[in-house]
């Protein structure tokens, strides 16, 4: 998920971009992410109305958390993979064994530190 989050409900869209997935920079902490809010009449998502509707943003963030919990995607982690084309196959093949002993974030950080 790379930390980017968003939800659409009854025409409203709330989202935040945590980082650009293809950049190998160090991402900021999740609590510094800036949320955007777009109303039902703004299908182009060109008018961020979060400052005028903080209650609606809070409602949408709550809905996001409910849905993320429901579908088991609440774990937010950011891992910067170096040489990702070489590491990802190894992570996939080891994930079944390793996940029994370590969290995914810990495993990926250890693998990345090898390169």
């Amino acid at each position: 998920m790379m930390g980017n989050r968003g939800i659409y409900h009854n025409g409203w869209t709330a989202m935040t971009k945590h980082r650009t997935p293809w950049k190998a920079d160090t991402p900021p902490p999740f609590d510094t992410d800036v949320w955007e809010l777009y109303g039902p009449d703004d299908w182009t998502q060109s008018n961020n109305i979060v400052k005028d509707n903080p209650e609606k943003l809070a409602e949408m963030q709550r809905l996001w958390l409910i849905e993320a919990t429901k579908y088991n995607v609440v774990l937010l982690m950011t891992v910067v993979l170096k040489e990702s084309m070489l590491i990802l196959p190894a992570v996939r093949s080891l994930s079944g064994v390793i996940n029994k002993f370590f969290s995914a974030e810990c495993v990926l950080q250890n693998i990345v530190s090898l390169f």
Side-chain angles (χ1 to χ4, degrees), residues 1-109:
M1 191 159 76
M2 303 304 270
N4 298 337
R5 299 168 312 277
I7 187 163
Y8 174 88
H9 181 70
N10 290 336
W12 290 86
T13 304
M15 68 179 103
T16 183
K17 177 183 156 197
H18 180 63
R19 65 183 301 249
T20 304
W22 52 86
K23 287 188 177 180
D25 57 353
T26 302
F30 282 103
D31 59 356
T32 63
D33 291 349
V34 177
W35 282 81
E36 299 173 6
L37 179 69
Y38 301 98
D41 58 341
D42 187 9
W43 58 270
T44 61
Q45 296 181 346
S46 59
N47 185 25
N48 182 3
I49 57 173
V50 73
K51 289 183 181 179
D52 299 329
N53 297 282
E55 301 85 17
K56 187 63 175 180
L57 177 63
E59 175 189 337
M60 296 294 286
Q61 289 172 318
R62 181 177 173 274
L63 286 173
W64 180 87
L65 187 57
I66 290 168
E67 292 297 311
T69 302
K70 179 179 173 182
Y71 293 104
N72 296 318
V73 294
V74 175
L75 173 66
L76 294 174
M77 63 183 215
T78 303
V79 177
V80 178
L81 296 177
K82 299 174 185 174
E83 307 292 336
S84 61
M85 296 305 289
L86 299 174
I87 295 173
L88 288 177
V91 172
R92 276 192 222 107
S93 65
L94 293 173
S95 64
V97 175
I98 294 175
N99 282 340
K100 294 179 183 175
F101 303 103
F102 304 101
S103 71
E105 183 174 9
C106 177
V107 169
L108 289 174
Q109 287 175 351

